[in-house]
Every structure is written in C-alpha cells, then in structure tokens.
Amino acid sequence: MSNIDSSKRSASWMVLAAICVVITCLCLAIWQYRRGVEKEALLATSDTAVLDINALPMVNNESLHGKAAMLEGRWVEGHWWLLDNQVVQSKSGFDLLLPFELSNHALIIVNVGFVPAQGLREAPSDLPSVASLTTTFTSILKTKDLKGFTLADEPDQNPTFPQLVQFIDLSFFERQLKRPILPMIAYASDQLNSNLTPHFQISTMPAQKHFAYALQWLLLGFAAFIVAFVALKSQQRSLIHEE
C-alpha cells in the first residue's frame, strides 16, 4: 500500500513539474513572439520618410525612436567627447560625440562615428575637426536606453581626460554646454569624415530570429508535455497492475 501511495505522490509531482515546464516554455514563446512583433514595427519606422528636423519636439517622444532624420545646421566648436569601450570590426576604440545646433537653433548631441584607439587604450591624437564635417547629413534618432549597460556611476571618471565618458548622460552634456539639448541622440548614418566609421544599428537581431526562438520554445513545451503524458500513463498502468 505504501508503494502505491508513494507512486501516486510521484505522479502528482511529475504532473506539477510538467505543468511548470510547459507554462515556462509557453511564456518564453509568447515573449519572443512579442519581441519579434516589436522588432518588425521598429524596423518599419526606420524605413519611413525622413523627418522634418524642425518639427523635432523638445520633450521626450519615444515614437521618434529608430526614425531617420535629416540634420541641417552647424557644429558647436569647443566641445567634444569620446564614448569609451566601443568595438567595431574587432577594433577597440571610441565613438566621437559632438554638439550640433540645428537650423531651428535647437541643440542635439550627434554620434558622428567610431574612431579606433591608438595602441592599447589611448585616445587618437588626430580627431577630425568640426570644420571638416558636413553640416547636412542623415541620421537615426535614439530616444530609449541611452545609457546602456554600464557599471560606472558617473559619465566622466577620468580627471586627467574629462572628455572621456563611460555612458551617455544628457544632463551631463547640458551642464557642459550650459544649454538645453534635445532628449535624444542622433547617430550619423552618413560618413562625415574618412576617419569616422558610422556603425549604429537600431536592431542587432532580425525579427525572424525572435519568431524562430518563439517556435523553439513552443516545441520544447509541447515535447515536455508529451514526455510527461507518456510517463504518467505508464505509471498509471503500473499502479493498476499493482492494485
């Protein structure tokens, strides 16, 4: 009798474990599917018409995320920053950040592209001057997750090199410029100088891959259900035989 009770308890635990696995796989499948739908919508926005730069709002508008915009104006001299810990084509270096005054006099920070480091970690000594950069170019706007993943508490952590920043902090740039700036970053999609390499991608994973992951989790959940079902039926037959 005790063996039968033990088998019933084992069957109950098996059912509970199977339910947990199936629910987990189903949730992950739904999550990946939604990510795929969001990625499709995001990539669709980047294919729409180029925005009128003078219509950019001074308040954060997440609907602008990933959209293309034509920038026209002038570069603000005397201010520049290097965003640390960038890697492009297996080369380590920095992204050059410059303030740009639009034709409507609004100020925006532009990531003009990647510059490789000199030696192991040294900043390049021959950064392009703003006079060599074109003043009309296309860009991609980013309004979300500007900071990104970082362990740094402050953007500027090198007192001997204050232009070196660890992450993007718009309030830091406003304090440096003593002017309000648009709540977004523009990533130049045109090559503004031969020493600069634009590399920003609004999405590093296609929507199809998310859909493939969703199908994978769905199949894993279905497989877990089948395995648990077969094992449970086998155990039930053994209980009937023992009784």
Side-chain angles (χ1 to χ4, degrees), residues 18 24 33 36-37 41 43 50 54 73 89 114 120 126 133 157 165 193 203 208 216 241:
T24 300
Y33 177 78
V37 172
L43 293 175
V50 177
N54 291 311
Q89 297 177 353
F114 171 82
L120 294 178
D126 55 346
L133 305 180
Q157 296 192 322
V165 294
N193 183 282
S203 173
Q208 289 76 11
Q216 181 182 36
H241 178 72

Side-chain angles (χ1 to χ4, degrees), residues 22-37:
V22 171
I23 290 176
T24 300
C25 290
L26 183 60
C27 289
L28 289 171
I30 294 173
W31 174 65
Q32 285 290 352
Y33 177 78
R34 288 177 175 173
R35 288 288 304 276
V37 172

Side-chain angles (χ1 to χ4, degrees), residues 60-236:
N60 195 2
N61 188 343
E62 292 191 352
S63 65
L64 296 175
H65 184 71
K67 290 191 175 181
M70 179 66 70
L71 303 190
E72 183 177 1
R74 69 176 188 90
W75 298 100
V76 178
E77 297 190 21
H79 295 279
W80 58 272
W81 303 273
L82 291 176
L83 182 61
D84 202 3
N85 300 317
Q86 304 301 306
V87 178
V88 174
Q89 297 177 353
S90 301
K91 294 181 180 179
S92 62
F94 315 89
D95 277 358
L96 179 59
L97 308 177
L98 297 174
F100 188 77
E101 185 177 30
L102 304 170
S103 56
N104 62 0
H105 304 298
L107 202 62
I108 189 170
I109 301 298
V110 180
N111 184 322
V112 295
F114 171 82
V115 288
Q118 291 183 345
L120 294 178
R121 294 288 299 151
E122 296 181 9
S125 57
D126 55 346
L127 289 174
S129 65
V130 294
S132 68
L133 305 180
T134 180
T135 55
T136 302
F137 57 94
T138 57
S139 66
I140 301 175
L141 303 179
K142 185 178 182 182
T143 64
K144 303 177 184 178
D145 192 29
L146 298 181
K147 183 176 181 179
F149 175 77
T150 179
L151 299 177
D153 296 325
E154 297 293 334
D156 55 334
Q157 296 192 322
N158 190 336
T160 62
F161 191 4
Q163 289 85 7
L164 184 65
V165 294
Q166 301 302 312
F167 58 87
I168 292 176
D169 182 356
L170 297 182
S171 61
F172 167 78
F173 297 135
E174 285 185 330
R175 291 194 299 271
Q176 294 281 308
L177 295 165
K178 296 180 174 58
R179 288 180 57 183
I181 59 177
L182 291 173
M184 61 193 72
I185 294 290
Y187 289 80
S189 51
D190 295 336
Q191 187 171 22
L192 306 183
N193 183 282
S194 60
N195 295 325
L196 298 170
T197 304
H199 65 96
F200 176 71
Q201 293 179 321
I202 195 64
S203 173
T204 57
M205 182 184 294
Q208 289 76 11
K209 186 167 287 189
H210 287 289
F211 293 140
Y213 286 149
L215 179 61
Q216 181 182 36
W217 283 116
L218 195 62
L219 292 175
L220 285 174
F222 180 73
F225 171 78
I226 293 299
V227 170
F229 179 80
V230 172
L232 184 61
K233 283 296 183 181
S234 177
Q235 194 167 39
Q236 285 178 342

Side-chain angles (χ1 to χ4, degrees), residues 38-49 66-67:
E38 291 173 357
K39 194 64 64 67
E40 280 189 330
L42 180 60
L43 293 175
T45 61
S46 62
D47 295 332
T48 57
K67 290 191 175 181

